[in-house]
Amino acid sequence: MVMGCFAGLVIDADKMLLIASSASLAVVTLLALKKFSLSTKAKVGLIYGHLIFAFFPFVVLTTDAACGIACMPCANNLANLIALAFPTTLLFGTMAAFFVIPGFYMFFSRKFETGNAHITRFVGRYSRNIGIKKPKVYIIDNANPVAFSFKSFKSMMFLSAGLIDMLGKKELEAVILHELGHLKRKASVLSMSFSLFRIFSPLSLLARFHHDVDGEELYADGFAAKLQKTERHLKSAKRKIDEFESSKSIGRNQ
Amino acid sequence: MVKLKRMRLDKKGMQTFLSPLETDVLTALYKLEKARTREIHRLLGQRRKVALTSVAVMLDRLHQKGIVRRAIEDGRGGGHYIYSPRTSRHEFEESIVDDAVNKLINSFGPVAANYFYKRFSKKE
């Protein structure tokens, strides 16, 4: 029989216990994330722990249905299901962390690695000074003033052409130092993880983590100001970015 | 080329279609033919006070409207945009007139076509 093995999803007491335990662990990791002041590494670990526990029951039930349809002995066998579902969840979690978000920026935005000698020399010099691996610097085809960076397998920094258009040399250096500050603290991994958490976790609506992201921004600002020995350039760069946003409404009704 | 959304008949020339600052930026670009945002800003700054960021926004808007083209030049100063007009000023103004006439014909059909025929045959 083609569909004969699949008699619908049976959620027995064992599966209910598994779902409840997994959901409880997802809540516990979320509370720990919110409650304690932790290192970046610990926060990232908790975010992925939370995502894995939140998704685990869905993966178990999907695997159960797939085993049933394929007439495999893993159907309705909890030990087998866990053995199959756990590595699958881990695999998808890792793929999301290391490929989905960086891949989105790498493959779906028009960008190229800059050949600008000043930027590459500046990034190289300061990366050495602060003891991090030199990131590749990409220019993205975007008129909005945008700068961001992240680290998965390699460090990458993205600067928009619009940002370079409107900032002076020192202001651009301040923005680059701000991004290097993020890379040094591995904050990009944290903000990327929070993005994944907001997109995929059903519990993300219950928790807000603005203070973590704001704290990282303040750290990166302080980092740039310390290296430049003034916060003048960073402030002026931020003012121009704000001005760009407010200029967007000029003559809109024409 | 140009698709008119709204036409301001109380204004003259390109301002019937563009905002005053967009018009100034485009006029400066016609003069320079090919320029960076800050070069256009410098030229405009000789006549009026305008922020570099406002010029950048206007150029982006003109690009979105398909009036100017841009390319990233990864030169010594680093991946900035170089803007240039898509057509000559004459061709651009002609396309505004063409679109306006087409819209009148589409909206009023034979009435508009008849009117144009009578109006221009009278002058011959």
Side-chain angles (χ1 to χ4, degrees), chain A residues 115-116 141 248 250 254, chain B residues 6 8 61 74 76 78 81:
Chain A
N116 178 282
D141 187 359
K248 281 182 174 174
I250 297 176
Q254 296 290 323
Chain B
R6 194 180 306 178
R8 296 188 60 179
R61 214 179 279 169
D74 197 23
R76 215 160 56 91
Y81 282 126

Side-chain angles (χ1 to χ4, degrees), chain B residues 34-101:
Chain B
K34 210 176 187 188
R36 288 186 64 175
T37 308
R38 52 186 68 238
E39 290 166 339
I40 296 166
H41 174 248
R42 207 175 299 135
L43 184 65
L44 286 177
Q46 291 168 2
R47 289 192 296 119
R48 60 185 281 188
K49 203 179 167 197
V50 58
L52 176 69
T53 47
S54 304
V55 175
V57 169
M58 294 307 126
L59 281 166
D60 186 39
R61 214 179 279 169
L62 290 169
H63 175 257
Q64 282 170 16
K65 287 179 180 176
I67 299 166
V68 303
R69 60 162 68 98
R70 71 185 177 203
I72 298 174
E73 191 177 82
D74 197 23
R76 215 160 56 91
H80 52 262
Y81 282 126
I82 291 281
Y83 287 93
S84 57
R86 242 174 223 283
T87 57
S88 69
R89 183 175 182 145
H90 179 77
E91 283 169 335
F92 173 60
E93 289 180 339
E94 208 173 61
S95 69
I96 296 179
V97 174
D98 184 57
D99 198 56
V101 169

Side-chain angles (χ1 to χ4, degrees), chain A residues 15-231:
Chain A
K15 279 184 199 156
M16 279 300 285
L17 185 67
L18 181 79
I19 292 169
S21 323
S22 198
S24 311
L25 284 169
V27 173
V28 168
T29 46
L30 184 74
L31 289 174
L33 198 59
K34 209 164 161 53
K35 197 95 180 153
F36 302 114
S37 174
L38 301 159
S39 68
T40 303
K41 243 182 197 171
K43 279 179 193 165
V44 171
L46 281 176
I47 289 174
Y48 289 108
H50 169 77
L51 287 173
I52 285 167
F53 289 127
F55 270 92
F56 190 56
F58 296 105
V59 181
V60 168
L61 294 179
T62 313
T63 312
D64 191 14
C67 288
I69 290 168
C71 293
M72 283 164 69
C74 51
N76 265 326
N77 182 328
L78 199 60
N80 282 350
L81 285 175
I82 291 173
L84 279 171
F86 196 67
T88 313
T89 319
L90 276 179
L91 182 73
F92 279 107
T94 315
M95 274 173 64
F98 287 97
F99 298 109
V100 176
I101 292 188
F104 176 80
Y105 287 111
M106 285 301 292
F107 300 111
F108 295 102
S109 64
R110 287 177 61 192
K111 51 109 187 67
F112 61 89
E113 196 175 343
T114 184
N116 178 282
H118 172 67
I119 293 180
T120 46
R121 267 203 304 268
F122 184 82
V123 169
R125 189 171 81 233
Y126 276 93
S127 302
R128 265 196 311 279
N129 286 355
I130 62 174
I132 60 166
K133 204 177 161 204
K134 184 185 167 190
K136 282 195 171 194
V137 183
Y138 292 96
I139 306 296
I140 46 173
D141 187 359
N142 188 343
N144 292 300
V146 183
F148 56 91
S149 52
F150 52 68
K151 188 177 186 309
S152 54
F153 287 115
K154 54 184 178 180
S155 298
M156 289 172 271
M157 187 185 291
F158 294 81
L159 305 169
S160 71
L163 181 87
I164 293 170
D165 260 348
M166 73 179 67
L167 298 188
K169 190 179 161 200
K170 288 283 172 190
E171 292 163 340
L172 185 62
E173 286 177 0
V175 171
I176 290 172
L177 288 173
H178 172 101
E179 291 307 319
L180 287 177
H182 281 314
L183 287 173
K184 186 174 166 58
R185 280 261 283 214
K186 299 185 177 78
S188 54
V189 182
L190 181 66
S191 56
M192 203 165 79
S193 308
F194 273 124
S195 307
L196 276 176
F197 168 68
R198 276 192 289 266
I199 296 167
F200 293 112
S201 173
L203 298 172
S204 67
L205 292 173
L206 304 174
R208 291 277 176 263
F209 292 96
H210 292 309
H211 58 282
D212 283 298
V213 178
D214 291 348
E216 288 303 334
E217 289 303 315
L218 283 174
Y219 168 80
D221 284 355
F223 182 82
K226 194 178 156 195
L227 289 175
Q228 280 196 316
K229 296 185 178 73
T230 174
E231 53 182 18

